[in-house]
Amino acid sequence: MYRKVLGLFLFISSALCAQNNTYTIKGSIEDNQYNGKKVYLQQLNDTRNGFTNIDSTIVMGNRFEFTKATQGNEPALRFISTEEPVTYAPAFFLAEAGEISLAIGKQNKVKGTLRNNRFQDFSNLQDSLNKQIESVVQTYSQMLQTSGNQAKMMQEGQAIMKQLQESRYDFAKENINNDLGEFIALSSFEVLTPDQVLELTSLMRPEFRNSDLGQQVISYYEAQNLKVAGGMYKDIKLKDPLGNDIALSDYVGKNKVVLIDFWASWCGPCIKEMPYVVDAYKQYKDKGFEIIGISMDEDQGRWLGTIDRLGMTWPQMSDLKGWKSAAAKLYGIDSIPYTLLLDQDGKIIDSNLRGTQLVNKLQELLD
């Protein structure tokens, strides 16, 4: 009797384990053209810039199905892609134990397990917020042609954007130990603040943090964080026009307000902006103001000629590597002109001041 009970217990346990370690994805596609064609079950490749096929099946009656074993302790991110013609972007879901329903169409819908249900709630919120933003933008555009309350509409738009940002951050953080959290974080970096990105990457699994992509993301957003008001500058040493080594620290933190000016002789907007910078320097150089120019040039002759022609009498530095400049990498500079205004201790107090904005700020600080 004991053996029979034990055998039955082991049978039930093994059946439950098998059930709890598998998922079934039951999919539907709203477009009839995929009947008789393949759909592919996929995962992200090692570099996360494409997909690797896991399995395929044929769509019949607008439906398809896969049953697979789950992997690891955390649910993995999986994708469903269609055979040519590709009408829809890959639909994704979390491969966690249970039965999952995935409807593919203009707006994909997933449900059936706890985390997939929560992801769909998140997606619904994102869609709603995006529609609200579109409505605000449209109304704001119309108001520009009238005497409407543009300021109020701008505030409403900013409030919705903040809600969009916070919801993406919260959802990514909640799921940061699985593929979905990492995927949402990676697709939200333009929405999130540098601080939020760096916090999320610090919580990600070592496999991502130590990957080439992970290191690129971390380095880029550490640089972006340097440009946020309240942060401290980072020192860098380059060559001056005479070939001597000079560093930002030779000038920053010397009880002067310092402008770091990223520019290049070939940059039209930089040249157009320079008279304002020259004027600001003339007015405030004897009142505790300094400028350090960091050039994205590659041609030394052109660099030096432009300095002389425009009357840029403040310190200049460059490694003559263009966009591959160490300074561009350190500070995340991807467009110029770009300026950072530092206080007497080297803390960033403003950025990208244009035209008379620089003189107005210096008047506020130094007059």
Side-chain angles (χ1 to χ4, degrees):
M1 181 67 178
Y2 172 77
R3 288 184 178 179
K4 288 184 178 180
V5 172
L6 178 61
L8 180 61
F9 173 77
L10 291 175
F11 173 79
I12 294 172
S13 296
S14 62
L16 287 174
C17 286
Q19 182 180 9
N20 289 337
N21 289 327
T22 62
Y23 67 91
T24 296
I25 180 75
K26 293 188 174 183
S28 62
I29 304 181
E30 66 181 26
D31 197 328
N32 293 330
Q33 68 175 324
Y34 289 104
N35 286 321
K37 294 183 179 293
K38 285 184 178 181
V39 290
Y40 300 91
L41 176 64
Q42 300 173 315
Q43 64 185 19
L44 288 170
N45 61 22
D46 291 339
T47 57
R48 295 172 180 257
N49 61 359
F51 303 102
T52 300
N53 289 343
I54 299 173
D55 201 353
S56 66
T57 191
I58 302 295
V59 179
M60 302 294 291
N62 293 67
R63 297 186 177 278
F64 62 89
E65 184 174 317
F66 293 98
T67 297
K68 292 291 178 184
T70 58
Q71 296 180 350
N73 296 323
E74 290 289 337
L77 187 64
R78 294 292 181 257
F79 297 81
I80 300 292
S81 294
T82 57
E83 192 175 15
E84 296 290 345
V86 179
T87 304
Y88 308 113
F92 54 90
F93 65 95
L94 272 173
E96 62 180 349
E99 184 174 296
I100 303 162
S101 172
L102 178 63
I104 298 176
K106 293 179 180 179
Q107 286 188 312
N108 300 329
K109 301 289 183 182
V110 63
K111 64 179 181 179
T113 62
L114 177 63
R115 291 189 182 177
N116 282 298
N117 289 342
R118 296 188 72 171
F119 168 67
Q120 188 59 56
D121 290 340
F122 163 76
S123 296
N124 292 341
L125 175 60
Q126 296 293 295
D127 290 341
S128 173
L129 291 172
N130 282 321
K131 288 177 181 177
Q132 290 179 54
I133 290 172
E134 289 176 7
S135 176
V136 169
V137 169
Q138 185 177 10
T139 304
Y140 180 79
S141 298
Q142 293 170 351
M143 281 185 170
L144 289 177
Q145 310 299 322
T146 68
S147 58
N149 194 341
Q150 291 95 338
K152 181 181 178 182
M153 293 304 300
M154 181 68 74
Q155 290 176 352
E156 288 184 13
Q158 290 173 343
I160 298 170
M161 280 298 298
K162 184 174 177 60
Q163 191 177 353
L164 183 72
Q165 178 190 79
E166 290 177 349
S167 63
R168 293 188 78 87
Y169 166 75
D170 290 342
F171 188 82
K173 187 174 181 179
E174 179 185 334
N175 290 276
I176 204 62
N177 288 319
N178 62 55
D179 286 339
L180 180 59
E182 292 179 0
F183 183 80
I184 295 297
L186 287 169
S187 62
S188 303
F189 284 168
E190 291 185 358
V191 178
L192 304 178
T193 66
D195 275 342
Q196 288 175 324
V197 171
L198 292 173
E199 181 183 358
L200 290 175
T201 54
S202 74
L203 298 173
M204 288 179 181
R205 295 170 292 183
E207 303 91 89
F208 172 78
R209 288 183 53 79
N210 297 329
S211 68
D212 288 342
L213 176 60
Q215 290 300 303
Q216 290 173 19
V217 167
I218 292 168
S219 296
Y220 178 78
Y221 281 93
E222 284 179 343
Q224 294 301 310
N225 218 21
L226 281 178
K227 298 186 289 188
V228 176
M232 289 295 293
Y233 90 105
K234 276 194 177 180
D235 199 16
I236 190 169
K237 183 182 291 185
L238 299 172
K239 298 289 185 183
D240 70 7
L242 298 178
N244 301 314
D245 288 332
I246 63 169
L248 289 179
S249 56
D250 295 336
Y251 304 93
V252 178
K254 309 297 183 184
N255 202 32
K256 286 190 174 185
V257 173
V258 175
L259 184 77
I260 304 177
D261 181 24
F262 296 90
W263 72 286
S265 65
W266 45 260
C267 168
C270 301
I271 304 305
K272 184 178 180 180
E273 187 66 27
M274 205 57 69
Y276 294 101
V277 184
V278 170
D279 181 55
Y281 193 60
K282 287 178 179 178
Q283 289 189 53
Y284 288 95
K285 66 178 180 179
D286 296 326
K287 295 183 179 182
F289 177 53
E290 186 59 273
I291 302 175
I292 301 100
I294 300 182
S295 171
M296 302 293 109
D297 275 289
E298 296 182 18
D299 186 313
Q300 184 175 24
R302 185 170 179 177
W303 175 41
L304 301 183
T306 305
I307 292 173
D308 182 62
R309 177 170 59 86
L310 297 181
M312 302 161 67
T313 57
W314 51 86
Q316 296 281 346
M317 57 168 58
S318 181
D319 53 14
L320 296 175
K321 294 183 179 179
W323 289 115
K324 295 181 180 179
S325 166
K329 181 178 180 181
L330 178 64
Y331 279 90
I333 302 300
D334 49 21
S335 65
I336 52 176
Y338 196 93
T339 60
L340 292 171
L341 189 65
L342 314 180
D343 69 9
Q344 288 86 342
D345 299 318
K347 184 181 292 185
I348 298 170
I349 53 178
D350 216 329
S351 62
N352 235 14
L353 297 171
R354 290 282 187 271
T356 58
Q357 291 176 337
L358 176 58
V359 167
N360 293 340
K361 187 68 177 182
L362 292 175
Q363 183 179 15
E364 174 188 324
L365 296 168
L366 298 174
D367 279 345

